[in-house]
Amino acid sequence: MKKTLKLALCLVLVLCTCLCMVACGGDDEGSIAGKYVIYSMDDGSQTIKGDDLNTILSAMGLTNESMYIELNADGTAEMSVFGETAEMAYAAGKIWPVDEPDDKADFSVKDSKLTIEIEDTTMVFTKK
């Protein structure tokens, strides 16, 4: 009887532990959802950010608010760079244009900053 009770108690504890682990979860793609505006650009030879970036964008009739990536919790996104907007999708650290699924770029989000690498250019966006 004691052995059966101990076994039942162990099973209950294992089940509770599993439920707690599932309930807490980890970072899912929904937790990074939101709008990120341009913070800096680096083409390998120079980094442009702050007032320098704002001056360049202003000369083009743009603001840092007009260069953005908006990630939706469902894995879709919108990216606007230099006045061109594209529908995007993302998953597992990759982002790509919906109409070009083989053209994937690496991205990461840390401390409310989204970093994306497209060819030789690294762009950093900050969450609004």
Side-chain angles (χ1 to χ4, degrees):
M1 177 85 166
K2 282 187 175 183
K3 194 173 187 179
T4 304
L5 184 59
K6 285 182 182 180
L7 181 61
L9 184 58
C10 284
L11 289 173
V12 169
L13 288 174
V14 168
L15 181 61
C16 287
T17 302
C18 290
L19 287 173
C20 288
M21 291 171 65
V22 170
C24 293
D27 287 340
D28 63 1
E29 308 229 299
S31 68
I32 62 173
K35 187 171 185 176
Y36 298 79
V37 297
I38 193 71
Y39 173 75
S40 68
M41 296 177 70
D42 184 336
D43 66 1
S45 63
Q46 66 177 347
T47 300
I48 303 169
K49 64 182 179 180
D51 290 337
D52 293 335
L53 181 60
N54 290 334
T55 300
I56 291 169
L57 293 173
S58 180
M60 298 173 69
L62 302 169
T63 66
N64 69 333
E65 296 282 330
S66 62
M67 286 187 65
Y68 65 86
I69 296 177
E70 187 161 3
L71 301 178
N72 301 311
D74 65 359
T76 62
E78 181 176 275
M79 183 174 184
S80 180
V81 177
F82 297 120
E84 298 291 323
T85 302
E87 296 300 315
M88 310 289 281
Y90 70 96
K94 301 282 185 187
I95 190 165
W96 61 92
V98 170
D99 58 349
E100 297 180 42
D102 293 331
D103 192 14
K104 292 182 170 69
D106 294 323
F107 85 98
S108 61
V109 177
K110 183 177 180 183
D111 299 329
S112 297
K113 289 190 178 174
L114 184 150
T115 303
I116 185 169
E117 296 178 29
I118 301 174
E119 296 174 4
D120 295 331
T121 302
T122 301
M123 294 183 284
V124 178
F125 297 79
T126 56
K127 194 168 190 177
K128 284 298 287 177

